């Protein structure tokens, strides 16, 4: 069952992460996972206009985090413990980036999700990421 | 376009990897990827009957390798350069294990695929793996 | 403080993992970590005589596991939750393989270690692996 | 042999990555690798004062990149293809972060390095990262 929908997750981001909440837009929330878009701005770019690696990491990290929160609610603060990311193609210059997340495991102590990152106008995924979160005891 | 179908991949395994070819069955080959089953035997088990981590790694490794070969043919020997694997649930004791692979990138030098591992009788994936292969110049 | 030394770890392997204990030799145990050698036999080899990827994975997995046990004792069964491994060079044909492990974190719930894999006669590491274990509550 | 020392790498960063060059300081360059410090500022922090995951990723990414450049020179643009990162401890609030990189492989096509991240005032590493770069043909 979903404990938080897109507006609830958006409000949570605004409250807890005011520094970065404008960067992200929650596009979809369901039992499979979430879709989150990085609104690409100058600060996310490398010379040449490509989205930087850290910005892609940040998108995947936030997106899997929100997928977990959508299921457990805003009660406990999950902490990223591992990320593996493959950069496969160059994102289009200046285009927004979307991460489609599958929540693969939601255990008592650990949660695992993975995501594909899509650049508007590129027809294959530009990156792939999997992340593990530790869920502290309530 | 597919250069090798299931029988061709099976014949390739038998010719090039006679030591392990009986462990694996190619279930599906298409443009999205492949499905490969590990026929679980005693040598794949840990005490308690669970499939061992190295056996799950071996399945994911072979499955992504075959997905690449299905597209490039048996001409060049791709070499595994990286694997990231998450073990998420205990496989059922003694049950076969299936890996569903998506081929995410097939470049001139690098190929990337990921897979979910399913244990017969467990309704969620037991593991997730992503692998990179280096493709030597022809 | 060390709770298990090399003979204690060797006896533990023989008792709990009789199928594979002859494959491994514990060379060193100290507060930094352990060194474990894979006694390479035919069953670990690929055509051409190279040690297979799954055998290298198995070595890294056992070695980090033993590093954890050396510190917590044989009380709880740690479970591998993640492995990331980079295959960097071809091992020498038929040569033994040694994994030097650093235990980087030993928490209440998670332990992290990494290791370099050395092939006798190759002067640079052939692989690098990092693993996470979940430590169940006692 | 080193092709670029600390001042050369610093000048390279300033020229090619003006947006982020002030974030990083090159502390050490030798044949084993490099040490690079992230000068932590408000934009790197999460609520509570902890350095954010993307900032730690950025530090590891830049540090391994500079280790590669120190050996191949500023001729070719290496591209990150994979990163695996383990977040192990909370960095100290507001403290600078240092990444000590080992360059493990410098091949014709691929380079691999790993690094430990240290937070001033924390006596064990806060994170561990390994990265692969693809080196385009000259």
């Amino acid at each position: 069952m979903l404990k938080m929908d897109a507006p609830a997750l958006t409000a949570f981001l605004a409250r807890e992460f005011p520094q970065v909440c404008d960067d992200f837009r929650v596009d979809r929330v369901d039992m499979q996972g979430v879709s989150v878009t990085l609104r690409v701005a100058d600060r996310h770019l490398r010379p040449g206009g490509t989205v930087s690696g850290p910005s892609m990491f940040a998108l995947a990290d936030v997106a899997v985090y929100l997928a977990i929160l959508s299921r457990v609610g805003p009660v406990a603060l999950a902490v990223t413990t591992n990320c593996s990311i493959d950069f496969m193609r160059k994102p289009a210059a200046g285009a927004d980036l979307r991460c489609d997340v599958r929540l693969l495991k939601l255990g008592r102590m650990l949660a695992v999700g993975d995501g594909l990152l899509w650049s508007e106008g590129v027809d294959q995924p530009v990156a792939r990421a999997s992340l593990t979160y530790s869920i502290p005891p309530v």
Side-chain angles (χ1 to χ4, degrees), chain A:
Chain A
M1 219 192 56
L2 288 179
K3 295 213 174 160
M4 297 176 82
D5 57 9
L9 292 174
T10 302
F12 176 88
L13 268 189
R15 200 170 59 238
E16 301 289 333
F17 300 96
Q19 287 171 311
V20 297
C21 67
D22 290 340
D23 288 4
F24 302 109
R25 184 183 68 228
V26 183
D27 296 317
R28 174 186 63 95
V29 182
D30 61 31
M31 286 298 287
Q32 273 62 58
V34 303
S35 293
V36 177
T37 291
L38 174 69
R39 295 181 174 110
V40 170
D42 274 358
R43 64 185 170 285
H44 306 120
L45 302 180
R46 283 272 183 271
T50 304
V51 177
S52 73
S55 298
M56 289 198 250
F57 172 90
L59 171 60
D61 192 23
V62 162
V64 175
Y65 181 64
L66 293 179
I68 297 169
L69 287 193
S70 74
R71 299 283 294 279
V72 303
V75 284
L77 273 190
V79 176
T80 312
T81 57
N82 173 264
C83 174
S84 171
I85 186 163
D86 293 292
F87 300 99
M88 303 188 294
R89 294 175 185 88
K90 227 184 157 120
D96 280 356
L97 217 59
R98 191 186 77 240
C99 182
D100 293 338
V101 165
R102 303 185 292 192
L103 191 60
L104 296 172
K105 177 195 165 102
L106 182 60
R108 222 165 21 88
M109 288 171 21
L110 291 177
V112 179
D114 72 356
L116 293 179
L117 276 71
W118 302 87
S119 175
E120 261 181 29
V122 180
D123 68 351
Q124 291 188 285
V126 297
R128 184 215 66 75
S130 38
L131 293 105
T132 300
Y133 286 75
S134 169
I135 303 176
V138 189

